[in-house]
Amino acid sequence: MNALSTIQQRAPHLTPRIAVVLGSGWGGLTDHMPAAVQIPYTELDGFPQPTVAGHSATLWLGHIGAQPVAVMSGRKHGYETGAVDGMALPLKVMQQLGCHTLVQTNAAGSVRPDMPPQSLMLISDHLNLPQRSPLVGLTDSERFVNMVDAYDPALKSLAAQTALAQSAILFEGVYAWFLGPQFETPAEIRMAQRLGADAVGMSTVPETILARHLGLRVLALSFITNFGAGMSAENLSHAHTLQQAQEGNAKASALLADIITQLP
Ligand code: HPA
């Protein structure tokens, strides 16, 4: 059975409007989904089987407040196989389910001295540094996607207002995508700073491109787990990312849940 039919059979009365992709440090969002239906990706034909510790690979279907949502805990990263279209099918299925908005989350490194670990950053725009696209090979005319305002201005301002109302500090900035899986060199971090980046990470950009191709509105938030390579004495590692992400998890997820309940 295809993934769409499986989902519709398991959650027959739900029409999610908002799709969410959870990255490291955002798993607490599902604490805001009482009575959700959970489907492991292993039961969803064509969904990725992530290989990264800290990504649980489960689709959660339910409500956050009154908002019907489909939350993908776990994503496919370009660094796993070299292919950057690993989320093409799941996002298509989200659109077929009725979603019109994609909310993305990730863990990222800060390249701004004034944005320390544990900060939250609203993504205002991105740099596709690998210059890889999940749309390569498509033949439709919609593949020439307009990337101006890829991160929806109205949704960004709604997120900023929600943070303000909670007295939560929400930075805003440009996310630079590195393919990974190795961390950046200090020279690459200096390059990112000069190119106008505020944060660096290994995800999100391919999904934003896919979502815009599907006509979904995009909102994206980064949880800052570290300063970029060479900016501090800290030793970068995936374990360090996960530990930092764990510490800020509840606070970040509470803000995100609040934002999601207010999305149009
Ligand atoms: N670089 C790339 N990806 C990351 C980082 C980083 O410093 N921190 C968390 N994800």
Side-chain angles (χ1 to χ4, degrees), residues 202-224:
M202 305 177 194
S203 68
T204 305
V205 168
E207 293 100 311
T208 296
I209 296 169
L210 287 164
R212 293 307 298 143
H213 180 244
L214 291 168
L216 305 178
R217 301 170 80 180
V218 178
L219 174 71
L221 291 163
S222 292
F223 180 80
I224 302 297

Side-chain angles (χ1 to χ4, degrees), residues 1-10 39-50 57-59 72 76 85-94 96-97:
M1 199 190 307
N2 67 35
L4 181 63
S5 306
T6 305
I7 294 166
Q8 285 171 333
Q9 200 173 73
R10 297 279 295 274
I39 312 178
Y41 287 1
T42 48
E43 294 171 25
L44 293 171
D45 197 25
F47 271 56
Q49 311 300 318
T58 302
L59 175 66
M72 290 173 278
K76 195 78 179 169
D85 62 352
M87 292 302 285
L89 181 129
L91 292 180
K92 178 76 191 161
V93 170
M94 292 300 117
Q96 290 169 332
L97 275 173

Side-chain angles (χ1 to χ4, degrees), residues 28-106:
L29 186 71
T30 54
D31 295 345
H32 298 263
M33 296 178 69
V37 171
Q38 297 176 45
I39 312 178
Y41 287 1
T42 48
E43 294 171 25
L44 293 171
D45 197 25
F47 271 56
Q49 311 300 318
T51 58
V52 188
H55 295 263
S56 75
T58 302
L59 175 66
W60 295 65
L61 297 151
H63 291 83
I64 296 176
Q67 185 79 266
V69 294
V71 176
M72 290 173 278
S73 177
R75 56 152 62 88
K76 195 78 179 169
H77 297 84
Y79 60 71
E80 293 176 61
T81 61
V84 299
D85 62 352
M87 292 302 285
L89 181 129
L91 292 180
K92 178 76 191 161
V93 170
M94 292 300 117
Q95 185 212 34
Q96 290 169 332
L97 275 173
C99 294
H100 53 61
T101 296
L102 174 67
V103 177
Q104 296 217 61
T105 61
N106 61 42

Side-chain angles (χ1 to χ4, degrees), residues 107-110 175 178 182-184 189 200-202 223 225-229 236 241:
S110 169
Y175 176 90
F178 283 81
Q182 75 286 352
F183 284 100
E184 299 73 32
I189 293 299
V200 294
M202 305 177 194
F223 180 80
T225 52
N226 56 279
F227 279 120
L236 294 184
T241 297

